[in-house]
Every structure is written in C-alpha cells, then in structure tokens.
C-alpha cells in the first residue's frame, strides 16, 4: 500500500508517508473501535486504485452517527479510463 501511495501521491514520499497512513486510517479506526476503511483495486495482483475513509463520529441533531470522511481516492494513470472496479 505504501508503494502505491508513493506512486499515486508523489508529494508524500519519504518519512511522511507511513506516518500519515497510520494516523489517517489505522490510528483513527482504533480510536473509534472500528476496522480501517480502505478499499483496494488490483489488476493482475498489482495495486492500481484505492479509496480510503477516515472513520469519524458525526452529530446530526441529537444523534451521533458512525461514518467516514472519504479521502485519498486514487487510480494510477495507467488504469484511468479503464472502468476498473466495475462488474464488466
């Protein structure tokens, strides 16, 4: 996942990348007692796309809902316009 992140988000290379990944997806999920919410798309075993969500609690009126803040959606340039993650 970190290699994919480095390719998909080249401005995040280096030591910032693993720290940000842990903070945004692993640690935030642990704080709320949920599993990390990351969806991956592979093509012949290679990771080519992802969508990730930072788990959050959202208050709507008097109700608190578990939800997520969708971030870090990325498809590598080599797979854009190929209708990845579809049924066809």
């Amino acid at each position: 996942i970190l290699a994919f992140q480095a390719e998909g988000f080249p401005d995040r290379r280096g030591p910032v990348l693993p720290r940000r990944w842990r903070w945004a997806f692993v640690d935030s999920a642990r704080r709320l007692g949920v599993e990390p919410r990351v969806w991956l798309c592979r093509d012949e075993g290679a990771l080519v796309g992802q969508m990730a969500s930072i788990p959050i609690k959202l208050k709507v009126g008097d109700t608190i809902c578990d939800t997520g803040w969708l971030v870090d959606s990325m498809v590598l340039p080599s797979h854009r316009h190929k209708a990845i993650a579809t049924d066809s």
Side-chain angles (χ1 to χ4, degrees), residues 2-87:
L2 294 178
F4 169 82
Q5 288 267 314
E7 186 175 352
F9 302 99
D11 58 321
R12 296 182 189 168
R13 292 182 186 192
V16 136
L17 189 60
R19 287 194 308 255
R20 184 185 182 283
W21 178 263
R22 272 192 310 277
W23 167 81
F25 307 113
V26 178
D27 296 342
S28 64
R30 185 179 303 124
R31 276 191 303 275
L32 295 180
V34 299
E35 291 294 316
R37 296 172 180 162
V38 178
W39 299 268
L40 305 173
C41 182
R42 296 182 184 274
D43 183 19
E44 297 183 13
L47 187 55
V48 298
Q50 77 164 30
M51 178 180 287
S53 176
I54 298 174
I56 62 168
K57 293 199 176 283
L58 176 67
K59 186 173 181 181
V60 180
D62 292 332
T63 304
I64 297 178
C65 305
D66 289 322
T67 188
W69 175 24
L70 292 176
V71 295
D72 286 7
S73 296
M74 176 60 67
V75 174
L76 295 181
S78 60
H79 285 73
R80 293 178 188 162
H81 309 294
K82 290 189 176 187
I84 65 169
T86 64
D87 292 336

